[in-house]
Amino acid sequence: MKRVLEENLIYEILSVVEEIPKGSVATYGQIARLIGRDKNARLVGKVLSMAEYYGEYPCHRVVNHAGRLAPGWIEQGDLLRNEGIPLKDETHVDLKKCQWQFCL
């Protein structure tokens, strides 16, 4: 049986993504921790893959724990560079320089 994501959870994740400031990035794991689901980084990725159906969100500001960009999303690097986010190479941001420092 296929599980359906609850809309409340989807909007909870997207509301955190919406808070990531221009010029910063967050990891899937950071977002999962912020919503109280420490071990659900993949769930965050799944929701972000469907974000276009729920409005406009800065999903390009979310990377994996190593700073790697989403595979197959060629425009992500350009969107980040346009916001002044430094890339270490073509597929990774420099998390030490631009990771979102949020306060709980």
Side-chain angles (χ1 to χ4, degrees):
M1 179 185 292
K2 193 172 185 178
R3 295 183 74 176
V4 177
L5 292 173
E6 292 182 25
E7 262 194 13
N8 289 345
L9 176 59
I10 292 168
Y11 282 111
E12 185 175 11
I13 290 169
L14 293 175
S15 70
V16 172
V17 171
E18 197 168 43
E19 296 297 318
I20 303 168
K22 189 174 182 178
S24 295
V25 295
T27 67
Y28 299 105
Q30 275 182 285
I31 295 168
R33 283 189 297 280
L34 282 170
I35 65 165
R37 292 175 162 257
D38 294 8
K39 298 186 185 291
N40 289 137
R42 288 184 181 189
L43 172 67
V44 172
K46 178 68 173 171
V47 168
L48 296 186
S49 74
M50 304 180 308
E52 65 186 290
Y53 300 111
Y54 295 92
E56 291 189 30
Y57 296 91
C59 298
H60 63 283
R61 296 181 189 148
V62 184
V63 296
N64 82 354
H65 70 280
R68 192 184 79 207
L69 307 183
W73 188 11
I74 298 164
E75 301 84 8
Q76 185 179 15
D78 292 334
L79 291 167
L80 293 172
R81 278 191 282 276
N82 289 341
E83 292 186 0
I85 295 175
L87 270 62
K88 292 193 313 189
D89 58 41
E90 286 301 308
T91 59
H92 292 81
V93 299
D94 191 339
L95 286 175
K96 290 181 181 177
K97 293 182 180 177
C98 60
Q99 189 166 12
W100 183 29
Q101 302 301 315
F102 54 89
C103 298
L104 295 177

